[in-house]
Amino acid sequence: MAEDLLSFLFPHEDFLEKYSKSYHVDDQKIVYQYKGWQDTPKIIYIQKGIFQVETRGKSGWEPIELAVQNQILGFESFLEEDYALKGIAYRLKSLTPGDCIFITGHYFVDHLYANPKFFLAMTEQMARSILKYKYQRYYKHDNLQVEVIRFLKELINSGIFQPHYGYLSLPKEINPKLIADHLHASEKEIYEVLKQLETKLWLQQKNNIIMIQKEAQKQFN
């Protein structure tokens, strides 16, 4: 999708240089911070790596979503100035080394309608995010194991991790602490849930790496 999207948006090198800027980032770097109506609208396209979207809460910056390859961020670019997210702040932090491209907001919006394939992909991504937030707000399970399985399922469905020798190995950055932060649980609780899933032979933990058994991935659906 990446090459197709970029070649469609930027048929000439001049357009690429004028309306976008590419970045390669190391891990644990703040890539972007949205500052509300004062900020220039821009679209962020994740080309490679794992990033984390964080919003400012009462106790500081809190993670709300992982962003992975082929994901698009910056939907506030679609809002008119009168409807800007005033008082809302979020930032994008890299969890692993990665690549992303910043695209001028109005340029992206003006061109997107001309390609139904990319418009549909973006609309589907927006719908998934909205449904996820509604689920978290109104339908949160009391069973933490269900929440951990949902979290892992989202990573599996992203399609960026390939099975190897019957297992899908997650990057070391996807660890109990990160899962605990996203699910608002303690690390101890997450460790206990992962041990339960190990007992069911759904996954293994080896050298601090979570390895999901290929056949068990069906149980996550």
Side-chain angles (χ1 to χ4, degrees), residues 65 112 152:
E65 184 180 15
L112 189 64
L152 297 175

Side-chain angles (χ1 to χ4, degrees), residues 11 25 28 39 42 47-48 52 58 61 74 100 107 122-123 126 132 137 139 155 165 176 182 196-197 201 207 215:
V25 295
Q28 302 300 316
D39 204 1
K42 57 179 65 66
Q47 296 175 288
K48 183 180 180 182
Q52 181 169 272
K58 293 181 180 179
W61 290 100
C100 58
Y107 181 87
M122 185 202 65
T123 304
M126 292 176 66
K132 176 184 176 182
R137 184 174 177 86
Y139 303 105
L155 291 172
Y165 293 112
H182 277 261
Q196 293 169 9
L197 297 179
L201 304 180
N207 298 325
E215 292 300 318

Side-chain angles (χ1 to χ4, degrees), residues 118-132:
F118 297 128
F119 183 82
L120 180 61
M122 185 202 65
T123 304
E124 180 181 351
Q125 187 181 126
M126 292 176 66
R128 286 179 181 274
S129 293
I130 293 171
L131 291 174
K132 176 184 176 182

Side-chain angles (χ1 to χ4, degrees), residues 93-150:
K93 183 173 76 174
S94 60
L95 298 181
T96 68
D99 298 295
C100 58
I101 181 169
F102 285 39
I103 303 171
T104 304
H106 70 82
Y107 181 87
F108 182 89
V109 173
D110 288 347
H111 287 73
L112 189 64
Y113 75 93
N115 191 310
K117 174 184 175 182
F118 297 128
F119 183 82
L120 180 61
M122 185 202 65
T123 304
E124 180 181 351
Q125 187 181 126
M126 292 176 66
R128 286 179 181 274
S129 293
I130 293 171
L131 291 174
K132 176 184 176 182
Y133 296 144
K134 283 190 171 293
Y135 174 88
Q136 290 175 332
R137 184 174 177 86
Y138 298 109
Y139 303 105
K140 189 172 180 64
H141 287 282
D142 292 328
N143 188 336
L144 184 58
Q145 184 178 112
V146 173
E147 295 300 314
V148 172
I149 289 175
R150 287 189 70 257

Side-chain angles (χ1 to χ4, degrees), residues 207-218:
N207 298 325
N208 297 320
I209 300 294
I210 298 174
M211 304 167 60
I212 301 173
Q213 216 277 344
K214 184 177 180 181
E215 292 300 318
Q217 293 174 29
K218 301 174 183 178

